[in-house]
Amino acid sequence: MQPVSSVEGRAIPFGAKNVDTDVIIPAAWLKTISRDGLGKGAFQTIRKNPDNIFDSAEFSGAPILIAGDNFGCGSSREHAAWALLDLGITVVIAPSFSDIFAGNAFKNGIVTVELPLHQIDRLMEVAQTDPVTVDLESQTVTTPFQDRFTFEMDPFRKHCLREGLDEVGLTLARDTAIADYEARQADHLPWLAQATVPVQGMGETA
């Protein structure tokens, strides 16, 4: 997982409400267990329209997506977060998110920013022509026009996102403590460290 500190760039002014995970990545793409290539299927039904905003040259490579209420509702598929990342999006700004989607996004290094609707409307306006900056340290969203909107974030999630720590990374960060614990267990409970003796006859053929 890549660390995220500050993200600056064009923001896709999508703005749609109640965008469920089937819209983000259709079910036909769920057969894969790889995270690579899912960007091609992201918002597939919307992108059937040749004039869709996701394939607009103006927003090519945009790292920020601005959406409406209840983004990521529907099923719990983690592929939705994978598809957004593969599309190049690392920040989603919306008035509210599905709890499951927000959790999946966090675990995959996507920053979810909740702002009031009137601030979303302002960012939608700015995004038409200018970049937006999301800073995790100050927990602010700013524009070139002196707009400055603050957002709340769980301190633990903020730490993990800034350090690029997923669940595996968090475990590996405590590898010394884990090794020390295992060494103490081997001293105090040595029989647990002994190899299991196979039962006679098990696995033998007549």
Side-chain angles (χ1 to χ4, degrees), residues 55-88:
D55 292 321
S56 168
E58 185 177 2
F59 297 104
S60 176
I64 302 169
L65 176 67
I66 304 174
D69 284 310
N70 199 28
F71 186 82
C73 56
S75 71
S76 61
R77 64 188 68 167
E78 192 173 11
H79 294 66
W82 297 354
L84 290 174
L85 280 175
D86 201 56
L87 196 61

Short mmCIF file of all heavy atoms in Angstrom, two decimals, residues 55-88:
data_model
loop_
_atom_site.label_atom_id
_atom_site.label_comp_id
_atom_site.label_asym_id
_atom_site.label_seq_id
_atom_site.Cartn_x
_atom_site.Cartn_y
_atom_site.Cartn_z
N ASP A 55 -13.72 9.19 -19.34
CA ASP A 55 -12.82 9.04 -20.48
C ASP A 55 -12.50 10.37 -21.14
O ASP A 55 -11.90 10.40 -22.22
CB ASP A 55 -13.42 8.07 -21.50
CG ASP A 55 -13.47 6.64 -20.98
OD1 ASP A 55 -12.52 6.23 -20.30
OD2 ASP A 55 -14.48 5.95 -21.24
N SER A 56 -12.89 11.45 -20.50
CA SER A 56 -12.58 12.78 -21.02
C SER A 56 -11.08 13.05 -20.92
O SER A 56 -10.47 12.81 -19.87
CB SER A 56 -13.35 13.84 -20.24
OG SER A 56 -12.87 15.13 -20.53
N ALA A 57 -10.49 13.54 -21.98
CA ALA A 57 -9.06 13.86 -21.97
C ALA A 57 -8.72 14.89 -20.90
O ALA A 57 -7.63 14.88 -20.33
CB ALA A 57 -8.64 14.36 -23.34
N GLU A 58 -9.67 15.74 -20.60
CA GLU A 58 -9.45 16.79 -19.60
C GLU A 58 -9.20 16.23 -18.21
O GLU A 58 -8.45 16.81 -17.42
CB GLU A 58 -10.66 17.72 -19.56
CG GLU A 58 -10.49 18.91 -18.65
CD GLU A 58 -11.68 19.86 -18.68
OE1 GLU A 58 -12.67 19.56 -19.40
OE2 GLU A 58 -11.62 20.88 -17.99
N PHE A 59 -9.81 15.07 -17.92
CA PHE A 59 -9.67 14.48 -16.58
C PHE A 59 -8.83 13.21 -16.59
O PHE A 59 -8.85 12.45 -15.63
CB PHE A 59 -11.05 14.20 -16.00
CG PHE A 59 -11.87 15.44 -15.79
CD1 PHE A 59 -12.90 15.76 -16.67
CD2 PHE A 59 -11.57 16.32 -14.77
CE1 PHE A 59 -13.64 16.93 -16.49
CE2 PHE A 59 -12.30 17.49 -14.58
CZ PHE A 59 -13.34 17.79 -15.45
N SER A 60 -8.08 13.01 -17.65
CA SER A 60 -7.22 11.83 -17.74
C SER A 60 -6.19 11.84 -16.62
O SER A 60 -5.47 12.82 -16.42
CB SER A 60 -6.51 11.81 -19.10
OG SER A 60 -5.61 10.73 -19.17
N GLY A 61 -6.12 10.76 -15.88
CA GLY A 61 -5.17 10.64 -14.78
C GLY A 61 -5.55 11.39 -13.52
O GLY A 61 -4.74 11.49 -12.60
N ALA A 62 -6.78 11.91 -13.46
CA ALA A 62 -7.22 12.65 -12.27
C ALA A 62 -7.18 11.74 -11.04
O ALA A 62 -7.75 10.65 -11.07
CB ALA A 62 -8.62 13.20 -12.48
N PRO A 63 -6.55 12.18 -9.94
CA PRO A 63 -6.42 11.33 -8.75
C PRO A 63 -7.57 11.47 -7.76
O PRO A 63 -7.60 10.79 -6.75
CB PRO A 63 -5.12 11.81 -8.13
CG PRO A 63 -5.09 13.27 -8.45
CD PRO A 63 -5.73 13.41 -9.82
N ILE A 64 -8.49 12.40 -8.04
CA ILE A 64 -9.57 12.70 -7.09
C ILE A 64 -10.91 12.55 -7.78
O ILE A 64 -11.08 12.95 -8.93
CB ILE A 64 -9.43 14.14 -6.54
CG1 ILE A 64 -8.06 14.32 -5.86
CG2 ILE A 64 -10.56 14.47 -5.56
CD1 ILE A 64 -7.73 15.77 -5.53
N LEU A 65 -11.87 11.96 -7.06
CA LEU A 65 -13.24 11.81 -7.56
C LEU A 65 -14.19 12.51 -6.60
O LEU A 65 -14.11 12.31 -5.39
CB LEU A 65 -13.61 10.33 -7.66
CG LEU A 65 -15.05 10.00 -8.07
CD1 LEU A 65 -15.31 10.42 -9.51
CD2 LEU A 65 -15.34 8.51 -7.90
N ILE A 66 -15.07 13.35 -7.14
CA ILE A 66 -16.08 14.01 -6.32
C ILE A 66 -17.42 13.36 -6.62
O ILE A 66 -17.84 13.28 -7.78
CB ILE A 66 -16.15 15.52 -6.62
CG1 ILE A 66 -14.77 16.16 -6.43
CG2 ILE A 66 -17.18 16.19 -5.71
CD1 ILE A 66 -14.72 17.62 -6.84
N ALA A 67 -18.09 12.88 -5.59
CA ALA A 67 -19.34 12.15 -5.77
C ALA A 67 -20.43 12.70 -4.85
O ALA A 67 -20.19 13.59 -4.03
CB ALA A 67 -19.13 10.66 -5.49
N GLY A 68 -21.64 12.13 -4.98
CA GLY A 68 -22.76 12.54 -4.16
C GLY A 68 -22.94 11.65 -2.94
O GLY A 68 -22.09 10.82 -2.61
N ASP A 69 -24.08 11.82 -2.27
CA ASP A 69 -24.39 11.06 -1.05
C ASP A 69 -24.32 9.55 -1.26
O ASP A 69 -24.63 9.04 -2.33
CB ASP A 69 -25.81 11.41 -0.58
CG ASP A 69 -25.89 12.76 0.09
OD1 ASP A 69 -25.08 13.03 0.98
OD2 ASP A 69 -26.78 13.54 -0.29
N ASN A 70 -23.94 8.85 -0.18
CA ASN A 70 -24.04 7.40 -0.11
C ASN A 70 -23.20 6.70 -1.18
O ASN A 70 -23.63 5.71 -1.77
CB ASN A 70 -25.51 6.98 -0.21
CG ASN A 70 -25.77 5.57 0.29
OD1 ASN A 70 -25.05 5.08 1.16
ND2 ASN A 70 -26.79 4.93 -0.25
N PHE A 71 -22.00 7.20 -1.41
CA PHE A 71 -21.14 6.58 -2.42
C PHE A 71 -20.67 5.21 -1.93
O PHE A 71 -20.27 5.04 -0.80
CB PHE A 71 -19.93 7.47 -2.69
CG PHE A 71 -19.06 6.97 -3.81
CD1 PHE A 71 -19.38 7.25 -5.13
CD2 PHE A 71 -17.91 6.24 -3.55
CE1 PHE A 71 -18.57 6.80 -6.17
CE2 PHE A 71 -17.10 5.77 -4.57
CZ PHE A 71 -17.44 6.06 -5.89
N GLY A 72 -20.70 4.22 -2.84
CA GLY A 72 -20.22 2.88 -2.51
C GLY A 72 -21.23 1.99 -1.82
O GLY A 72 -20.86 1.00 -1.20
N CYS A 73 -22.51 2.33 -1.92
CA CYS A 73 -23.54 1.49 -1.30
C CYS A 73 -23.67 0.18 -2.08
O CYS A 73 -23.02 -0.02 -3.10
CB CYS A 73 -24.88 2.23 -1.27
SG CYS A 73 -25.47 2.79 -2.88
N GLY A 74 -24.50 -0.72 -1.60
CA GLY A 74 -24.69 -2.00 -2.29
C GLY A 74 -23.86 -3.10 -1.67
O GLY A 74 -23.71 -3.17 -0.45
N SER A 75 -23.30 -3.96 -2.52
CA SER A 75 -22.57 -5.13 -2.02
C SER A 75 -21.23 -4.72 -1.42
O SER A 75 -20.78 -3.59 -1.56
CB SER A 75 -22.34 -6.13 -3.16
OG SER A 75 -21.39 -5.62 -4.07
N SER A 76 -20.60 -5.70 -0.77
CA SER A 76 -19.36 -5.42 -0.03
C SER A 76 -18.11 -5.68 -0.86
O SER A 76 -17.01 -5.73 -0.32
CB SER A 76 -19.31 -6.27 1.23
OG SER A 76 -19.33 -7.65 0.90
N ARG A 77 -18.24 -5.84 -2.16
CA ARG A 77 -17.11 -6.25 -3.00
C ARG A 77 -15.91 -5.30 -2.88
O ARG A 77 -16.01 -4.10 -3.09
CB ARG A 77 -17.55 -6.36 -4.47
CG ARG A 77 -18.00 -5.07 -5.10
CD ARG A 77 -18.59 -5.29 -6.49
NE ARG A 77 -19.86 -6.00 -6.42
CZ ARG A 77 -20.70 -6.09 -7.46
NH1 ARG A 77 -20.42 -5.52 -8.61
NH2 ARG A 77 -21.84 -6.76 -7.35
N GLU A 78 -14.77 -5.88 -2.53
CA GLU A 78 -13.54 -5.10 -2.41
C GLU A 78 -13.02 -4.69 -3.78
O GLU A 78 -12.23 -3.75 -3.90
CB GLU A 78 -12.48 -5.91 -1.66
CG GLU A 78 -11.27 -5.10 -1.24
CD GLU A 78 -10.31 -5.89 -0.36
OE1 GLU A 78 -10.48 -7.11 -0.24
OE2 GLU A 78 -9.40 -5.27 0.21
N HIS A 79 -13.50 -5.36 -4.82
CA HIS A 79 -13.10 -5.02 -6.18
C HIS A 79 -13.41 -3.57 -6.52
O HIS A 79 -12.76 -2.98 -7.39
CB HIS A 79 -13.81 -5.94 -7.18
CG HIS A 79 -13.41 -7.38 -7.08
ND1 HIS A 79 -13.70 -8.15 -5.98
CD2 HIS A 79 -12.76 -8.19 -7.96
CE1 HIS A 79 -13.24 -9.38 -6.17
NE2 HIS A 79 -12.67 -9.43 -7.36
N ALA A 80 -14.40 -2.98 -5.84
CA ALA A 80 -14.74 -1.58 -6.11
C ALA A 80 -13.57 -0.67 -5.78
O ALA A 80 -13.23 0.24 -6.54
CB ALA A 80 -15.98 -1.18 -5.32
N ALA A 81 -12.93 -0.92 -4.64
CA ALA A 81 -11.75 -0.14 -4.26
C ALA A 81 -10.59 -0.43 -5.21
O ALA A 81 -9.88 0.49 -5.63
CB ALA A 81 -11.36 -0.44 -2.82
N TRP A 82 -10.42 -1.69 -5.57
CA TRP A 82 -9.34 -2.05 -6.50
C TRP A 82 -9.51 -1.34 -7.84
O TRP A 82 -8.54 -0.87 -8.43
CB TRP A 82 -9.31 -3.55 -6.73
CG TRP A 82 -9.03 -4.38 -5.52
CD1 TRP A 82 -8.68 -3.94 -4.27
CD2 TRP A 82 -9.08 -5.80 -5.43
NE1 TRP A 82 -8.51 -5.00 -3.42
CE2 TRP A 82 -8.76 -6.16 -4.09
CE3 TRP A 82 -9.38 -6.81 -6.33
CZ2 TRP A 82 -8.71 -7.48 -3.66
CZ3 TRP A 82 -9.34 -8.13 -5.91
CH2 TRP A 82 -9.01 -8.46 -4.59
N ALA A 83 -10.76 -1.29 -8.32
CA ALA A 83 -11.03 -0.66 -9.62
C ALA A 83 -10.72 0.83 -9.59
O ALA A 83 -10.15 1.37 -10.54
CB ALA A 83 -12.48 -0.90 -10.01
N LEU A 84 -11.08 1.49 -8.50
CA LEU A 84 -10.79 2.92 -8.38
C LEU A 84 -9.28 3.17 -8.39
O LEU A 84 -8.79 4.07 -9.07
CB LEU A 84 -11.41 3.49 -7.11
CG LEU A 84 -12.94 3.60 -7.09
CD1 LEU A 84 -13.42 4.03 -5.71
CD2 LEU A 84 -13.44 4.58 -8.14
N LEU A 85 -8.55 2.36 -7.64
CA LEU A 85 -7.09 2.51 -7.62
C LEU A 85 -6.49 2.28 -9.00
O LEU A 85 -5.60 3.02 -9.42
CB LEU A 85 -6.48 1.52 -6.62
CG LEU A 85 -6.53 1.89 -5.14
CD1 LEU A 85 -5.98 0.74 -4.30
CD2 LEU A 85 -5.73 3.16 -4.87
N ASP A 86 -6.97 1.27 -9.69
CA ASP A 86 -6.44 0.96 -11.01
C ASP A 86 -6.79 2.05 -12.01
O ASP A 86 -6.10 2.23 -13.02
CB ASP A 86 -6.97 -0.40 -11.49
CG ASP A 86 -6.09 -1.01 -12.57
OD1 ASP A 86 -4.88 -1.18 -12.32
OD2 ASP A 86 -6.61 -1.31 -13.66
N LEU A 87 -7.86 2.79 -11.72
CA LEU A 87 -8.25 3.93 -12.55
C LEU A 87 -7.40 5.15 -12.23
O LEU A 87 -7.42 6.14 -12.96
CB LEU A 87 -9.73 4.24 -12.32
CG LEU A 87 -10.46 5.13 -13.32
CD1 LEU A 87 -10.45 4.50 -14.72
CD2 LEU A 87 -11.89 5.38 -12.86
N GLY A 88 -6.64 5.09 -11.12
CA GLY A 88 -5.76 6.19 -10.74
C GLY A 88 -6.32 7.08 -9.65
O GLY A 88 -5.72 8.11 -9.31
#
